Amino acid sequence: NAGVTQTPKFQVLKTGQSMTLQCAQDMNHEYMSWYRQDPGMGLRLIHYSVGAGITDQGEVPNGYNVSRSTTEDFPLRLLSAAPSQTSVYFCASSTSRQGGKETQYFGPGTRLLVL
Amino acid sequence: SQKIEQNSEALNIQEGKTATLTCNYTNYSPAYLQWYRQDPGRGPVFLLLIRENEKEKRKERLKVTFDTTLKQSLFHITASQPADSATYLCALDIGSGNTGKLIFGQGTTLQVKP
């Protein structure tokens, strides 16, 4: 299994541009989440999903959209990038099977710079 | 809103000693609490989970305690090694326990010196 994969690894945007951060997992996990990580702030939950077609907001959802049309993919969209969205973005997945729904498997991250 | 605080941003210890990291939380009674390890430039990796009805959990040289009265978890690494140097994050569930909806502390960076 590749686990959780994220693309791109690094991206530079200009203010106002839009882009989609891709996240995919091949473990058939029901739960997927997006976090951002900023220095001194820890990981903050942006959006999460408990299954295909079901998404909900986390702590810091403003400026981001998500959809979950398949179990495997959970893309994060920035509609109009702002410098405040400069961060490292992590996607994570988990499953209620094997008694481990709470354990998150993280991807390698996407480093985003908004100028 | 729920807050998690980890005792310090950085902790330096000598190889062979026990490292103790602290995680305090407020305004919630989580069903469980987790600890993750994060190396520079990489995503966090799960280490241990402890439930509200468990006082202590161990895994090899790692030990986690959970005091729901004090609203605190302690994370211990015994016989520490330079390879244990990393950032350690605590996280707790703020959902119903069925969603894996977590909030994280800001992390403590541990440096183990030979």
Side-chain angles (χ1 to χ4, degrees), chain A residues 6 19-23 32-38 41-49 54-67 74-79 84-92 104 106 109-112, chain B residues 94 100-104:
Chain A
Q6 293 184 239
M19 81 160 293
T20 299
L21 280 64
Q22 301 292 343
C23 174
M32 296 186 75
S33 305
W34 274 104
Y35 297 86
R36 59 177 289 173
Q37 186 172 39
D38 303 291
M41 298 286 290
L43 287 150
R44 291 183 291 169
L45 182 65
I46 305 172
H47 285 286
Y48 68 99
S49 169
I54 306 169
T55 63
D56 203 348
Q57 297 180 349
E59 291 178 80
V60 288
N62 292 340
Y64 306 96
N65 275 359
V66 292
S67 60
F74 191 40
L76 179 71
R77 296 182 187 84
L78 282 70
L79 301 177
S84 60
Q85 293 178 304
T86 293
S87 187
V88 181
Y89 291 84
F90 289 101
C91 180
Q104 306 262 319
F106 283 85
T110 293
R111 192 171 297 269
L112 177 67
Chain B
I94 59 171
K101 186 178 178 183
L102 303 178
I103 60 170
F104 284 80

Side-chain angles (χ1 to χ4, degrees), chain A residues 31 37 90 101-104, chain B residues 32 34 36 38 97-98 100:
Chain A
Y31 307 108
Q37 186 172 39
F90 289 101
K101 65 177 180 289
E102 305 92 349
T103 302
Q104 306 262 319
Chain B
Y32 59 85
Q34 300 182 55
Y36 287 79
Q38 187 174 25
N98 294 322

Side-chain angles (χ1 to χ4, degrees), chain B residues 52-96:
Chain B
E52 60 181 337
N53 60 350
E54 297 174 319
K55 296 294 184 190
E56 179 180 300
K57 183 165 277 189
R58 293 175 185 261
K59 179 182 175 182
E60 297 172 355
R61 294 184 295 110
L62 308 180
K63 185 178 85 171
V64 173
T65 63
F66 194 11
D67 189 325
T68 55
T69 302
L70 292 179
K71 293 186 183 292
Q72 181 180 82
S73 175
L74 299 179
F75 177 80
H76 307 272
I77 306 175
T78 58
S80 60
Q81 304 165 1
D84 295 325
S85 299
T87 296
Y88 292 87
L89 306 167
C90 68
L92 56 85
D93 170 39
I94 59 171
S96 63

